[in-house]
Amino acid sequence: MSQIVVLVQYRALPDQVDAARRAIAALVATVTSSEPDCGGIELLHEANDPTRITLIERWPSQAFFLGPHLQQPHIQAFIANAGAFLAGPPDMSFWHSAVTT
């Protein structure tokens, strides 16, 4: 099974940027420490727009990301609380590496 790269792009509420960054960083720490199928997550903050936060995640498949990963209690808790600091749901897209050998 080839690995999938997931881009998850969030937009924080302008007055909640710090809260959003803290919550997303805590979620990333939980995911990477408790979900062994996660191949890593890189957390990025846009240089020119502090409200934009992007995660670059690596998972076994799109189906795994959308199924077992999103059903984890820590993901569901994050989703339930995200309205306090995010402007809306994230934009998610799925990618395959273009690196050839």
Side-chain angles (χ1 to χ4, degrees):
M1 182 179 338
S2 71
Q3 194 175 60
I4 192 91
V5 175
V6 185
L7 295 182
V8 182
Q9 298 178 309
Y10 296 103
R11 185 170 295 275
L13 293 168
D15 62 339
Q16 295 296 317
V17 170
D18 290 339
R21 287 181 176 188
R22 282 192 305 273
I24 293 168
L27 180 63
V28 167
T30 299
V31 169
T32 57
S33 69
S34 68
E35 293 189 57
D37 290 304
C38 178
I41 301 175
E42 184 175 358
L43 174 59
L44 304 172
H45 303 212
E46 188 181 315
N48 296 314
D49 182 351
T51 67
R52 294 188 59 190
I53 302 164
T54 298
L55 301 180
I56 302 171
E57 305 189 24
R58 298 187 188 291
W59 291 93
S61 69
Q62 182 174 340
F64 188 92
F65 177 87
L66 293 172
H69 168 62
L70 290 186
Q71 297 308 312
Q72 293 293 316
H74 50 267
I75 298 294
Q76 292 299 307
F78 177 84
I79 291 169
N81 295 316
F85 49 83
L86 295 179
D91 177 42
M92 291 187 276
S93 58
F94 300 89
W95 302 76
H96 291 287
S97 176
V99 175
T100 58
T101 56

